[in-house]
Amino acid sequence: MCQRKTVCFLLRFCSRSACCACFLLQLPAPRPCRRCADAASTCRWCQAVPWQRTPCALAPVALSCSLSQPHGGSPGWLQVPAVQKSTDLTSTVGYDSIIQHLNDGRKNCKEFEDFLKERAIIEEKYGKELINLSKKKPCGQTELNTLKRSLDVFKQQIDNVGQGHIQLAQTLREEAKKMEEFREKQKLHRKKIELIMEAIHKNRNLQYKKTMEAKRLYEQRCRDKDEAEQAVHRNANLVTQKQQEKLFLKLAQTKSALEDSDRSYQQSITALEKIREEWMKEHIKACEFFETQECERIRYFRSALWLHVNQLSQGCVQNDEKYEEIRKSLEMCSIEKDIDFFVNLRKTGSSAPAPVVYENYYNTQRNATPVRSPVSVPISRRAPPPTPTSGPGDPDYATIDGYSLIHR
């Protein structure tokens, strides 16, 4: 494992790096394991002799330079799948896996960005609903005195909680915007490196194709030369002098063509080697850049998650402070004071109504004293009428306040 104990998805080389990830970096001539070169003749992990051009057996482990069993340590915590082996110079299996991982990381950032936006919509909607609820929905509007004050504090604090959720929604939108800017900035910087690598890959593949064509032509010239030599030896005593001259002329032509193809093939190999060395340098630079960018992405993503959770926790704490104000108001609520306040506000008197007694109608009429009108009655000039008298055979009259009863 790297002495810096860095989980490196790019299989970066450090001053005392692990075995070279030859398959992932697609080196046509893998470098030997340098891990134990100063301590033993072979690597304790892959048993590769340092001076042999043999890749480490653990090199195909994808996206990590951390071995599952480091020297003198416990099994690694990171389990990663194996990458397909490839020693072809034109293969881009490893590079494609790196780019795919970077694209996946960018996609993950985009998903978190969308999550923040959706959460902001939910928080804003919830906050507005709370504000509308506290302002429009009646809640104990006929209560009196201390309980009424507590209900007023309750509705006000619910309104404040709604405002807090709206502010949290705005904060989440700002964090989503920062995540988008970070993601786009990384995409822009990475695009420059990708364009350079694409040009190098194209140039490398083109030169490799030319080299393979030169090799094919060289091998064909070798076979032509061998066939010409065999024809000369086979027909040395069987043909005429003129035919022999033709055979020797053909042999000379094949040798000349062989020399030309050999020279062209060697020149192609030399040019390919230069391109390969340039590609290796640029590839390592790209890997180091990609590693730095991935570390920044993971660090930023982790910090964004941490900040998001802190914002939610802060919102809960602020809401609890608002609820605490409601609890304090409820502690000041007094049942006795509210009852006394209602009694004093709605009281009708200090004495109870008198009981209702039975009254005889006739007794009431006989014992009732005439009520004189306060208005003075004008004195009549006429004399009062005579009192009627009853004869022996007439019925008896009784008058009460102008009414008469006839008794028979």
Side-chain angles (χ1 to χ4, degrees), residues 3-23:
Q3 294 298 319
R4 293 187 295 174
K5 298 181 179 179
T6 303
V7 177
C8 167
F9 81 98
L10 300 171
L11 298 174
R12 168 176 41 80
F13 298 103
C14 67
S15 58
R16 289 180 56 82
S17 63
C19 296
C20 301
C22 307
F23 292 122

Side-chain angles (χ1 to χ4, degrees), residues 225-287:
K225 182 249 184 188
D226 292 341
E227 291 177 359
E229 288 181 346
Q230 292 176 2
V232 170
H233 293 297
R234 186 173 53 251
N235 299 320
N237 300 321
L238 301 178
V239 296
T240 62
Q241 184 68 24
K242 187 175 181 180
Q243 291 176 341
Q244 287 184 355
E245 291 178 358
K246 289 182 180 181
L247 292 176
F248 281 111
L249 179 60
K250 184 178 181 180
L251 178 59
Q253 291 175 350
T254 56
K255 287 183 178 180
S256 177
L258 175 60
E259 291 175 357
D260 294 339
S261 62
D262 180 66
R263 185 167 49 255
S264 177
Y265 179 39
Q266 291 181 8
Q267 291 175 354
S268 298
I269 289 293
T270 303
L272 180 61
E273 179 61 20
K274 292 181 180 180
I275 294 176
R276 187 190 70 85
E277 291 177 356
E278 180 184 0
W279 162 70
M280 284 179 55
K281 293 178 181 178
E282 294 297 330
H283 188 86
I284 293 174
K285 289 180 182 179
C287 288

Side-chain angles (χ1 to χ4, degrees), residues 305-324:
L305 283 171
W306 197 295
L307 178 61
H308 176 62
V309 175
N310 286 346
Q311 290 170 348
L312 298 181
S313 298
Q314 184 180 6
C316 293
V317 171
Q318 292 175 351
N319 290 342
D320 188 68
E321 292 176 354
K322 297 178 178 67
Y323 298 145
E324 182 64 23

Side-chain angles (χ1 to χ4, degrees), residues 144 249 364:
L144 302 173
L249 179 60
T364 302

